[in-house]
Amino acid sequence: MSALGWGRRAAGLGRALWPAGRPRLLAEEEAFGGVRGHRRSSSASPCEQDRRKDWGHAELLEVLQARVRQLQAEGVSEVTVKRVDVALAPEASSAQSPGKARARAEGAAPKLSGRWAQKLDKEQRLMQKRKQRLEGRLQKRERTLAWQRQLRVEPRLLSGRLANQLQRWEQGAARSPWEEQLAQLLQEAPQRLSGDAAKASAVRGSDVRLEGQRQRLLSFFECCLLTGHLPLAHHVLVTHHSRSRQQRLLTLAMYNMVMRGWAREGSFKELVYVFFMVKDAGLAPDLLSYAAALQCMGRLDQDASTIRRCLKQMAQDGLQLQGLFTAVPLGEGERAELLRAVRKAEPTFRPPPPPPPPAPQLNTSPLLREVYAKQGCPVSYPRLHLPLKKLQDLFQQQLRVELATTVTVQSVEKAQPPTEEVLHARKTLADLRATWETALYQELQETKASEARAAREGRPSLFPYLCLLSEREFVGLLLQTLQALPAQGESLLFLAHELGLRVFNRHIVQRKQLSKQVQVLEQHYIKYLHLLASDTQVAERCLPRQWWEALGMPEAPHEQPWPVSVLVQLGKQLAEVLVQAVQMPGSLAAPRGPGSLIPVLYHVYSFRSFRQIGILKPHPAFTQLLEAAAERTLTFESTEVPMLCPPLPWTSPHSGAFLLSPTKMMRSVEGTQQHQLLLERCPPAQLHGALDALTQLGNCAWRVNGRVLDLVLELFTDKGCPRLGVPAPPSEAPRPPQGRQTPKSGLLPDLSPADKAEMRRELARRLKVAREMQSLRADALCRLSLAQHLRHRVFWLPHNMDFRGRTYPCPPHFNHLGSDLARALLEFAQGRPLGPHGLDWLKIHLVNLTGLKKRESLQARRDFADQLMEDILDSADQPMTGRRWWMEADEPWQALACCMEIARATRAPDPAAYISHFPVHQDGSCNGLQHYAALGRDSVGAASVNLLPSDLPQDVYSGVAAQVEVFRRQDAEQGVRVAQVLEGFISRKVVKQTVMTVVYGVTRYGGRLQIEKRLRELHDFPQEFLWEASHYLVRQVFNSLQEMFSGTRSIQRWLTESARLISHTGSAVEWVTPLGIPVIQPYHRDSKVMIKGGIQSLTFSSSGDTSQKPNTLKQKNGFPPNFIHSLDSSHMMLTALHCYRKGLTFVSVHDCFWTHAADVAVMNQVCREQFVRLHSQPILHDLSRFLVKRFCSDSRVSKSVWVSRLLDTLLSVPKTGAFDLEQVKRSTYFFS
């Protein structure tokens, strides 16, 4: 035994002889001090280390026996030592389960007695388990080493000359053959592609079918390097390179990635092999290729002549030495080895100093000039109401949440009493989960082994992805998925995508943790809080993004998301592991049934929306077991829950919002890339308006309205109240008709075919209602459970935006974009005194929520609220037992919350000093038509949508209904039958939805369906005229809009025709919003992607927008509404930034703006000013110039017929009217 080993054993003996009062167990000391210490200090091979560990454990038993003898000498009686044979070879016990080994050992020794004897017995059992685990690790390592020996290293080159050259070099006996080979190879590498190679490369670049395969292969190589499987990556690279068809998938980035891996390992021979393949593929090495070679030379301390030749060849290839340190992303260690190699050849070389931080760029948009002005414009940016210490504590809480990646909250379902049945169900479930953990662990290991074989054989493989997380993390993720699976099942495609996405998110969080980004983030975030805290001061007040950038936080490298096909394939594989491993006794399904195991999950097919899809469905017995156990917890991903601290400010398209979890600034359909590419190409200053607006919206602190939550929970835990938006429990779902079925034969045989058909329809209807109720109930359960979890807490809702610039909160379940109930549960965490007019605005807001006085003035609404004060106070004091006036409102829960706020304010000693947290809303009046009327300077249209000042609010829907009635009356006088039938049925409600959606691109067909639905709701309307009447009315609605909004319709037609012609040129429609956000429509012809094998072959549509042709129909129909949405988002962002500059709290739901009651007047002024400023820009002419430059300036396509027609159309900008925009500033009901 070595001296080191003896010293360690002697130390162990010393610890064994310590007094019995020491707090730590001997086994614990050995585990932490012996085994781990041995791993750190020994230089032996892994196999030798594990053998030493086995001998060490055998010696440890001797130490334990010595401890027993000591105890006996001290007078401890009846202590016996149980002898346990320790196998010296791992094969001796590898096939024996721990349970059997324990049973045999216990049978071979007499029963122990005494406290110390029991303690010794326990420690010996623990040691036996530990030895078996070590033996398992040893066998696994031996299998891994054997597997790696089978991987290919030497490439098979397609060029005969290169293959012969490689063979001669391998057989040569030069002093340093591989360094010499690299030097010569670099000299012979083509400085530019040959004609054939260039042609092949062009074919590779133009073959759009290969794009997805290349993305998958690149992410495969990246994961191999991240998980330490570089030999596997090299093997796959060699395999693909050796086959001409597969070599087309390889790019220089893939070769470089593997070369960089070998450079980190200091494996020069393998690196030269990759260089041979690069040359064989007709590619020229770039800076990253040379950086890998030089880094490897630095690690191996190569001679200066070889390095000098490499640098000389790099210069001949037109690559600058300085670029190795400025243009190549390298870690600190890689940079040090690269510098070491370069200085060996050029001792006087000094790397260029790090570039100075770029001067802060300023946004030059005229719309944002005041926002970013340094002088002349006083600012009063708001602060949070919390001190620095509290915000620091909240940051630590949020950091722990995101590191854990999940949040567990208590369910608000009515708690079941802990009866014997409930306790038994919970114990059964706990036992099953313990069994499932073991089964899932084994199934995952088998799956990884299978995927490793596939990779070795050159087949597509998920092996490196399955190595990104530990088996324990995968098991936890799968059990969480099983727990959350609804009783009706879930689409396998949706489930697979969600699982793949969750693995990716966990992997990113782990990478940030391992790369020490968390510590750097913590240091900078604490400094960032000085800008927001209530008890700190900063030298100069500025926007949060500006402050964060001034702190110098290094931006983390952008993590490229995995291709959708990889996410789905990985998730599908994990779902199949779950199906295979998770089983339960058949007796749970049928008490008298067989005791064999049955699957917990079943794969079935079902029709949804006329499409057959595969579904994973839990066994009804498992669902019943969950219900019987009545576990009161729900688990959410950390990104699904509001944040407990202020979000990170948005500083780039991929940096902001959550602390660690990856979040995109622009949400888009998975797989689309053009949005992200456009954003990354933008000058940073161009996006400042959007970045700062998203940051401002996310910095609004929220809290839960506890009184409203209590009332909602009271209804929710009883029987619900669908009329008030509280879903009923499953027990209230409709049941199948009674008396019309027999237990065995289904429908009664004496029913007529018509009755049977009616019965089936009724059953389908009730089943649909039951499923909808269950879905609504589950959604409400998530929302209310989160609200209860966040009660008495302050929280934040980070925001991002869609491709048009419309903003949305990132947490999906609990936010202010939800229903009336969801909005009523939220209020501002920071309160403000009502001031002299705040109470009046609360009253006006309450009347707006009732929907009773939409055509009345603000004074009339305020007077109406005063008349109803008795009902308001009764609703606040006795919401469930009083007159319940609030239940008749259009938005009942928000009306109730407002009643409570008014009651508290009126009862305060000084209502003006009352601190209100209640958000007051101001809605745009058909906001889409407002933007159209402003674009066309349409005076008639402007008057209809309240752009002109007036004593009473104008109602565009009533105006359209009145115009339709004029047309109907004329037709009725001429004897048109349908016009006569419609007499008395044309109302505001019938036409409202169609008028509202015409501006957003609804077609006549869609409008007819909307009107038909409204007419069907009229009980006295003759149903036989439904189709004819709806067809007539939609035509008259469109004619009325043409009369009232002539400018609007001409602009709509111009936008539609422009988009149609752009699409015919083969491009998607692009534009830039007035705030500088680049927009591209994501409507392309979908390509089908198939994931074959397993329990089901999955086929899904991939919107491969970088390669697919545009969908002409969607492009032309989508352009008008999307363009208007980009304008209303610009107006909202401008309002948000200017309100923030004035110190207001501001949030929005698209065209509905929220603030404190005391600040409504200021917000209204800002809202009108920014609308006028926005539309004072030549928006349509700017759009025309941009589209001409983007789609008509290329000389190669300018002779196309489509391009010629497009140019003519774009230059024919619709003429505008004479409406004066300045009048909007005086319009009371523009937003009201």
Side-chain angles (χ1 to χ4, degrees):
M1 182 182 298
S2 67
L4 178 63
W6 167 245
R8 195 166 46 252
R9 303 310 163 204
L13 178 60
R15 287 192 297 273
L17 298 178
W18 284 347
R22 300 291 290 188
R24 296 183 65 177
L25 295 179
L26 174 65
E28 293 173 347
E29 292 290 341
E30 181 64 19
F32 290 95
V35 176
R36 297 187 182 179
H38 178 73
R39 185 180 302 146
R40 287 193 298 266
S41 60
S42 175
S43 60
S45 67
C47 299
E48 182 63 22
Q49 289 182 28
D50 287 326
R51 292 191 183 97
R52 290 182 183 178
K53 292 171 191 172
D54 295 336
W55 280 108
H57 290 303
E59 293 170 0
L60 180 58
L61 292 179
E62 298 177 4
V63 174
L64 292 173
Q65 292 171 357
R67 176 61 173 157
V68 171
R69 288 193 294 271
Q70 180 194 19
L71 294 173
Q72 288 174 333
E74 294 175 354
V76 180
S77 60
E78 299 182 39
V79 176
T80 58
V81 179
K82 179 170 64 176
R83 299 183 59 83
V84 180
D85 296 330
V86 179
L88 300 182
E91 290 80 3
S93 61
S94 60
Q96 179 175 301
S97 67
K100 291 182 179 179
R102 191 183 311 116
R104 189 178 67 203
E106 290 173 353
K111 184 176 180 180
L112 301 178
S113 61
R115 183 168 59 88
W116 286 105
Q118 293 174 1
K119 181 177 179 182
L120 177 62
D121 180 57
K122 179 180 178 181
E123 291 176 350
Q124 287 182 324
R125 286 200 304 270
L126 289 174
M127 194 57 60
Q128 182 73 5
K129 291 180 180 179
R130 189 174 291 115
K131 183 181 75 69
Q132 291 172 348
R133 285 198 299 268
L134 291 172
E135 290 171 351
R137 292 175 188 172
L138 177 62
Q139 293 176 357
K140 182 178 179 181
R141 180 178 291 275
E142 289 176 345
R143 287 195 301 268
T144 301
L145 292 174
W147 173 64
Q148 289 184 356
R149 285 193 292 269
Q150 300 175 16
L151 298 177
R152 292 179 60 181
V153 177
E154 298 83 1
R156 185 172 69 85
L157 304 179
L158 302 182
S159 167
R161 184 176 62 83
L162 284 176
N164 293 333
Q165 189 176 359
L166 176 61
Q167 185 177 8
R168 289 196 305 272
W169 278 338
E170 286 179 326
Q171 295 173 354
R175 180 177 57 83
S176 54
W178 293 104
E179 293 75 8
E180 187 70 23
Q181 291 165 21
L182 178 61
Q184 295 185 25
L185 186 62
L186 287 173
Q187 291 176 1
E188 297 187 11
Q191 297 182 19
R192 59 184 60 86
L193 296 178
S194 65
D196 293 341
K199 184 177 179 180
S201 178
V203 171
R204 285 200 295 265
S206 63
D207 193 352
V208 297
R209 293 175 299 176
L210 303 180
E211 187 64 29
Q213 294 174 316
R214 285 177 179 163
Q215 292 176 1
R216 291 195 294 271
L217 196 56
L218 186 63
S219 65
F220 174 88
F221 286 132
E222 182 181 9
C223 286
C224 281
L225 267 64
L226 289 174
T227 55
H229 292 93
L230 179 59
L232 176 61
H234 185 92
H235 168 81
V236 172
L237 185 73
V238 169
T239 303
H240 278 71
H241 183 87
S242 302
R243 302 167 183 170
S244 57
R245 292 188 62 182
Q246 291 186 350
Q247 190 187 114
R248 296 184 305 161
L249 302 176
L250 300 176
T251 63
L252 183 59
M254 300 177 194
Y255 292 106
N256 282 342
M257 189 175 292
V258 177
M259 274 195 286
R260 189 175 178 184
W262 287 126
R264 291 172 183 163
E265 299 286 332
S267 301
F268 207 85
K269 178 179 178 180
E270 288 79 1
L271 185 141
V272 173
Y273 281 147
V274 180
F275 261 105
F276 264 102
M277 290 187 282
V278 169
K279 183 179 177 183
D280 192 46
L283 302 172
D286 62 2
L287 278 173
L288 190 56
S289 312
Y290 281 102
L294 291 168
Q295 180 192 158
C296 193
M297 293 178 186
R299 291 184 187 277
L300 299 177
D301 197 20
Q302 295 297 332
D303 60 274
S305 60
T306 303
I307 298 174
R308 201 172 291 115
R309 292 172 66 181
C310 181
L311 293 176
K312 180 180 178 182
Q313 184 61 44
M314 187 179 77
Q316 292 177 0
D317 287 349
L319 302 176
Q320 299 294 325
L321 177 58
Q322 305 284 342
L324 293 175
F325 298 91
T326 58
V328 178
L330 296 173
E332 293 183 7
E334 294 173 313
R335 183 184 176 90
E337 296 297 342
L338 176 62
L339 183 60
R340 179 183 176 189
V342 172
R343 281 182 172 169
K344 194 162 189 178
E346 298 184 11
T348 61
F349 174 79
R350 291 186 178 182
Q361 298 182 349
L362 293 179
N363 188 293
T364 58
S365 169
L367 293 173
L368 297 170
R369 188 174 296 120
E370 289 183 9
V371 174
Y372 299 115
K374 292 291 184 181
Q375 298 176 350
C377 297
V379 298
S380 56
Y381 295 129
R383 285 179 174 271
L384 295 174
H385 63 295
L386 301 172
L388 180 62
K389 182 64 172 64
K390 178 63 175 178
L391 289 173
Q392 290 174 346
D393 293 341
L394 292 175
F395 166 74
Q396 294 297 335
Q397 294 178 33
Q398 178 65 25
L399 189 61
R400 287 193 293 270
V401 166
E402 294 196 39
L403 287 173
T405 69
T406 58
V407 180
T408 301
V409 304
Q410 291 294 315
S411 170
V412 295
E413 283 281 19
K414 189 174 182 179
Q416 296 289 338
T419 62
E420 184 178 348
E421 180 184 359
V422 171
L423 295 176
H424 176 71
R426 290 178 180 175
K427 183 179 183 305
T428 302
L429 204 53
D431 294 341
L432 285 174
R433 284 173 180 154
T435 305
W436 293 340
E437 286 183 7
T438 303
L440 285 169
Y441 182 84
Q442 295 175 351
E443 188 70 26
L444 280 168
Q445 288 186 320
E446 293 175 5
T447 301
K448 287 171 70 172
S450 174
E451 291 297 317
R453 288 193 297 272
R456 187 174 65 248
E457 294 167 5
R459 293 184 282 117
S461 170
L462 295 170
F463 175 69
Y465 300 97
L466 293 172
C467 297
L468 289 171
L469 304 180
S470 66
E471 280 88 354
R472 180 182 61 82
E473 291 171 304
F474 274 119
V475 168
L477 177 60
L478 292 175
L479 290 179
Q480 175 190 337
T481 302
L482 177 64
Q483 179 78 13
L485 202 62
Q488 67 269 25
E490 189 60 85
S491 160
L492 178 59
L493 179 58
F494 174 82
L495 199 63
H497 184 263
E498 283 297 304
L499 277 170
L501 205 55
R502 290 179 180 182
V503 172
F504 174 76
N505 289 339
R506 282 163 169 74
H507 158 62
I508 295 301
V509 171
Q510 283 190 2
R511 283 195 66 182
K512 290 182 178 180
Q513 191 174 7
L514 294 174
S515 62
K516 298 184 179 180
Q517 291 184 38
V518 176
Q519 293 88 331
V520 177
L521 171 67
E522 185 172 1
Q523 296 170 5
H524 285 78
Y525 191 88
I526 299 303
K527 298 177 183 177
Y528 169 66
L529 290 177
H530 285 76
L531 179 74
L532 305 178
S534 61
D535 59 345
T536 55
Q537 296 294 328
V538 294
E540 181 182 359
R541 299 291 294 164
C542 59
L543 292 166
R545 174 191 54 79
Q546 295 171 333
W547 182 258
W548 184 265
E549 291 175 347
L551 292 176
M553 172 70 179
E555 187 169 332
H558 174 46
E559 299 288 350
Q560 288 293 339
W562 296 337
V564 181
S565 56
V566 170
L567 294 174
V568 172
Q569 189 175 4
L570 176 61
K572 177 173 175 283
Q573 184 69 65
L574 292 174
E576 290 174 356
V577 166
L578 189 62
V579 171
Q580 294 292 331
V582 177
Q583 296 180 318
M584 64 181 184
S587 57
L588 290 177
R592 297 184 180 180
S596 58
L597 296 176
I598 60 174
V600 173
L601 294 176
Y602 288 87
H603 178 252
V604 298
Y605 288 93
S606 176
F607 283 93
R608 290 187 182 176
S609 301
F610 307 102
R611 293 174 56 241
Q612 189 181 33
I613 62 172
I615 293 176
L616 279 189
K617 190 173 183 180
H619 195 288
F622 173 67
T623 304
Q624 293 170 6
L625 181 63
L626 284 177
E627 293 175 355
E631 293 180 322
R632 303 189 64 245
T633 58
L634 298 173
T635 302
F636 298 92
E637 295 292 299
S638 60
T639 54
E640 297 175 343
V641 180
M643 292 184 66
L644 302 178
C645 70
L648 293 181
W650 283 102
T651 56
S652 74
H654 46 74
S655 296
F658 293 97
L659 302 180
L660 301 176
S661 304
T663 311
K664 292 190 294 186
M665 170 186 165
M666 184 174 283
R667 55 175 68 187
S668 59
V669 179
E670 289 293 338
T672 57
Q673 301 175 11
Q674 287 181 328
H675 301 103
Q676 198 67 21
L677 293 176
L678 284 177
L679 290 174
E680 291 174 356
R681 291 172 188 162
C682 270
Q686 184 177 326
L687 295 176
H688 282 175
L691 296 171
D692 292 332
L694 290 172
T695 300
Q696 185 268 322
L697 295 173
N699 274 353
C700 175
W702 298 89
R703 72 179 190 182
V704 173
N705 189 326
R707 290 191 63 192
V708 174
L709 178 59
D710 289 335
L711 294 171
V712 175
L713 290 179
E714 182 181 335
L715 291 176
F716 185 81
T717 54
D718 187 19
K719 292 187 177 181
C721 183
R723 184 169 69 91
L724 294 176
V726 183
S731 59
E732 301 299 311
R735 304 295 180 188
Q738 299 296 322
R740 306 297 299 273
Q741 292 178 287
T742 60
K744 296 182 179 180
S745 58
L747 296 174
L748 291 173
D750 56 345
L751 292 177
S752 66
D755 289 340
K756 289 182 179 180
E758 179 61 28
M759 176 66 72
R760 291 191 183 95
R761 283 194 293 270
E762 179 64 16
L763 288 173
R765 186 192 69 81
R766 296 194 178 193
L767 180 60
K768 181 182 178 209
V769 170
R771 285 177 175 170
E772 289 175 350
M773 288 178 62
Q774 191 170 25
S775 177
L776 291 172
R777 181 77 176 184
D779 182 63
L781 178 63
C782 290
R783 179 179 296 111
L784 296 178
S785 298
L786 283 173
Q788 181 71 4
H789 175 70
L790 294 168
R791 184 197 286 263
H792 309 308
R793 292 191 182 190
V794 179
F795 55 90
W796 286 261
L797 297 171
H799 281 61
N800 61 1
M801 62 185 183
D802 65 11
F803 73 94
R804 303 163 299 188
R806 278 199 152 190
T807 60
Y808 301 85
C810 297
H813 301 296
F814 187 45
N815 59 58
H816 60 291
L817 254 69
S819 61
D820 165 57
L821 187 153
R823 297 184 185 188
L825 291 173
L826 290 168
E827 58 185 16
F828 295 136
Q830 189 167 359
R832 291 177 70 90
L834 282 179
H837 304 294
L839 183 57
D840 290 339
W841 279 112
L842 284 176
K843 294 175 181 178
I844 293 170
H845 180 55
L846 174 61
V847 176
N848 289 344
L849 292 170
T850 65
L852 296 175
K853 298 292 179 178
K854 295 181 178 180
R855 303 292 301 273
E856 300 293 334
S857 67
L858 295 182
Q859 181 63 47
R861 299 179 203 182
R862 187 164 58 247
D863 295 341
F864 182 68
D866 290 334
Q867 297 170 15
L868 293 172
M869 188 56 66
E870 187 177 343
D871 287 331
I872 293 172
L873 297 178
D874 175 77
S875 296
D877 297 336
Q878 306 176 78
M880 295 299 179
T881 58
R883 292 193 289 269
R884 293 180 285 191
W885 166 83
W886 62 275
M887 291 187 181
E888 305 303 322
D890 285 355
E891 310 286 348
W893 287 108
Q894 292 179 81
L896 175 60
C898 195
C899 288
M900 294 176 175
E901 189 74 1
I902 291 174
R904 286 192 290 265
T906 55
R907 290 166 177 168
D910 180 8
Y914 171 74
I915 304 298
S916 173
H917 297 259
F918 192 82
V920 174
H921 312 168
Q922 295 286 278
D923 277 311
S925 177
C926 199
N927 192 238
L929 284 174
Q930 287 179 327
H931 283 284
Y932 267 124
L935 282 173
R937 303 294 194 273
D938 185 351
S939 298
V940 177
S944 301
V945 291
N946 293 300
L947 295 188
L948 281 173
S950 61
D951 296 331
L952 295 175
Q954 303 300 307
D955 182 24
V956 64
Y957 311 115
S958 299
V960 172
Q963 184 63 49
V964 170
E965 175 60 22
V966 171
F967 291 151
R968 185 209 64 79
R969 194 179 301 114
Q970 293 173 355
D971 291 340
E973 291 173 355
Q974 296 179 7
V976 177
R977 173 62 178 162
V978 67
Q980 296 170 349
V981 170
L982 280 168
E983 184 176 0
F985 291 106
I986 297 176
S987 65
R988 179 183 188 274
K989 183 177 180 180
V990 170
V991 303
K992 177 180 178 180
Q993 186 180 12
T994 304
V995 174
M996 186 187 305
T997 53
V998 158
V999 67
Y1000 297 125
V1002 73
T1003 61
R1004 291 185 182 241
Y1005 174 77
R1008 190 198 70 77
L1009 293 178
Q1010 293 169 347
I1011 292 176
E1012 179 183 328
K1013 185 177 181 181
R1014 298 285 83 82
L1015 292 175
R1016 195 183 297 275
E1017 295 171 354
L1018 304 176
H1019 300 296
D1020 52 346
F1021 183 80
Q1023 300 296 301
E1024 63 271 16
F1025 287 94
L1026 273 178
W1027 189 91
E1028 189 177 359
S1030 60
H1031 190 273
Y1032 172 83
L1033 281 182
V1034 74
R1035 188 170 67 251
Q1036 299 304 338
V1037 167
F1038 273 70
N1039 291 338
S1040 300
L1041 288 171
Q1042 179 65 43
E1043 289 278 336
M1044 298 173 62
F1045 297 90
S1046 57
T1048 295
R1049 299 301 289 171
S1050 65
I1051 294 172
Q1052 237 178 354
R1053 284 193 294 269
W1054 181 71
L1055 293 173
T1056 301
E1057 180 64 12
S1058 300
R1060 186 182 72 85
L1061 295 172
I1062 290 172
S1063 180
H1064 276 301
T1065 65
S1067 301
V1069 180
E1070 297 179 39
W1071 69 97
V1072 177
T1073 72
L1075 253 63
I1077 304 172
V1079 180
I1080 183 169
Q1081 296 195 139
Y1083 311 129
H1084 295 77
R1085 297 180 185 176
D1086 292 338
S1087 59
K1088 299 296 181 182
V1089 177
M1090 177 176 285
I1091 307 296
K1092 297 182 179 180
I1095 58 178
Q1096 175 193 342
S1097 292
L1098 292 178
T1099 303
F1100 59 94
S1101 298
S1102 174
S1103 182
D1105 54 8
T1106 57
S1107 56
Q1108 299 299 320
K1109 292 183 178 180
N1111 184 316
T1112 302
L1113 182 63
K1114 289 185 177 181
Q1115 288 284 344
K1116 76 180 186 67
N1117 288 341
F1119 187 28
N1122 288 336
F1123 182 70
I1124 295 300
H1125 280 314
S1126 72
L1127 293 183
D1128 70 44
S1129 71
S1130 297
H1131 176 224
M1132 186 279 297
M1133 289 182 179
L1134 285 170
T1135 305
L1137 291 172
H1138 283 271
C1139 285
Y1140 190 76
R1141 191 174 180 84
K1142 291 179 179 292
L1144 273 63
T1145 298
F1146 175 91
V1147 291
S1148 77
V1149 181
H1150 305 319
D1151 60 347
C1152 177
F1153 298 168
W1154 297 18
T1155 192
H1156 288 95
D1159 299 326
V1160 172
V1162 179
M1163 184 187 74
N1164 278 336
Q1165 178 188 358
V1166 172
C1167 168
R1168 286 153 177 77
E1169 289 175 350
Q1170 297 312 310
F1171 185 87
V1172 172
R1173 292 192 63 194
L1174 172 67
H1175 283 282
S1176 296
Q1177 305 297 312
I1179 294 176
L1180 292 180
H1181 288 277
D1182 287 347
L1183 175 65
S1184 173
R1185 283 191 290 270
F1186 175 85
L1187 295 178
V1188 167
K1189 182 179 179 180
R1190 173 66 181 83
F1191 299 107
C1192 303
S1193 60
D1194 191 343
S1195 59
R1196 292 173 296 179
V1197 298
S1198 58
K1199 296 181 180 180
S1200 165
V1201 176
W1202 291 112
V1203 173
S1204 177
R1205 292 174 61 183
L1206 172 61
L1207 181 61
D1208 293 339
T1209 300
L1210 293 177
L1211 295 178
S1212 304
V1213 180
K1215 299 189 181 316
T1216 57
F1219 171 65
D1220 181 11
L1221 279 174
E1222 289 295 322
Q1223 297 186 73
V1224 174
K1225 295 180 180 179
R1226 302 190 303 274
S1227 174
T1228 303
Y1229 303 104
F1230 168 62
F1231 266 60
S1232 64

